[in-house]
Amino acid sequence: MTAGALAVDLLVGAAVLLTLASALGLAVMRDAYQRLHYIAPPATLSSALLTAALLLGEPQKQAGVKAFLVTALLTLMNGVVTHATARAARIRRHGRWIPVQEERVPLAKGEYAGPPLREGRKP
Amino acid sequence: MNAWLVGAAVLMLALLPCAWVCLRGRPMDRLVGLEMTGVVLTLLLLLLAEGFHRIPFFDLALALGILQFGAGLVFTRFLERWL
């Protein structure tokens, strides 16, 4: 086995293992917001690894160009779809997109993230 | 049998957790599972296209990538407002 063939096999193996791990993580998580994070690695890294393997191992460059287009599409569109899905999940849960006064997320000791409290309201 | 086809066979196992999420849980969880399934299938088509050495099969992966993007946005819109 040549060094190039070995590199192709390693890249393919890494892409497949990364996708498998992300799918398992997707199933383990309990919330839609947490599950959304696990779509990013296969959409970006796995597709990039497969494209690199194609450019290394395939003599016809047309395959590499098409794989590059698929990688670019997945990478660029993944952020848009993830944001749209998270937005839909939030609107479905809370009825609105913008944060409400009662929605203050606790950070560290005594600190909160969210809109400032109105006068007379406790944290 | 080459590394690409072996990788495609192993990658099919990633569809099982996606199917599990799609079959159970709340509607938004199922949508996330569906989006992940689309990504896995796109990668699977890439592997199969190179494994069988069929250059036109790469167009399937490209078409699926474009369509799953539109489908994801349509489903999010419906789940946000009407379903």
Side-chain angles (χ1 to χ4, degrees):
Chain A
M1 178 178 280
T2 62
L6 182 63
V8 168
D9 291 347
L10 287 176
L11 287 170
V12 171
V16 169
L17 287 176
L18 179 64
T19 308
L20 273 174
S22 297
L24 283 173
L26 181 95
V28 167
M29 291 295 115
R30 299 182 181 183
D31 196 4
Y33 299 113
Q34 296 171 358
R35 287 190 164 128
L36 278 171
H37 290 80
Y38 287 86
I39 303 179
T44 54
L45 287 174
S46 292
S47 57
L49 289 171
L50 286 180
T51 303
L54 270 169
L55 291 172
L56 270 176
E58 176 64 40
Q60 294 191 23
K61 294 308 170 189
Q62 188 180 8
V65 170
K66 289 184 179 180
F68 178 76
L69 285 175
V70 172
T71 299
L73 181 74
L74 285 177
T75 303
L76 293 174
M77 296 302 119
N78 177 57
V80 175
V81 176
T82 299
H83 176 80
T85 307
R87 186 176 187 272
R90 180 177 167 79
I91 292 175
R92 193 177 170 86
R93 180 180 293 184
H94 297 285
R96 54 190 295 176
W97 168 242
I98 57 177
V100 297
Q101 182 65 36
E102 291 75 20
E103 197 171 7
R104 302 190 82 229
V105 180
L107 294 176
K109 295 177 185 177
E111 295 181 1
Y112 291 87
L117 287 173
R118 295 194 194 102
E119 288 186 10
R121 299 200 69 148
K122 296 179 183 178
Chain B
M1 200 70 166
N2 50 39
W4 299 91
L5 291 178
V6 172
V10 175
L11 192 60
M12 284 187 197
L13 296 175
L15 294 175
L16 292 176
C18 297
W20 177 258
V21 173
C22 286
L23 287 171
R24 303 178 75 250
R26 296 178 291 268
M28 290 311 300
D29 295 313
R30 298 181 188 209
L31 177 61
V32 174
L34 183 66
E35 291 171 359
M36 181 67 162
T37 304
V39 173
V40 171
L41 287 175
T42 304
L43 298 176
L44 200 57
L45 283 174
L46 283 179
L47 286 167
L48 289 173
E50 179 59 20
F52 290 121
H53 298 292
R54 295 285 187 269
I55 302 300
F57 287 5
F58 285 98
D59 298 334
L60 294 174
L62 191 57
L64 180 61
I66 294 172
L67 289 174
Q68 75 169 10
F69 164 65
L73 292 181
V74 168
F75 277 121
T76 54
R77 200 60 159 174
F78 270 98
L79 284 172
E80 177 185 316
R81 291 187 179 186
W82 294 296
L83 292 179

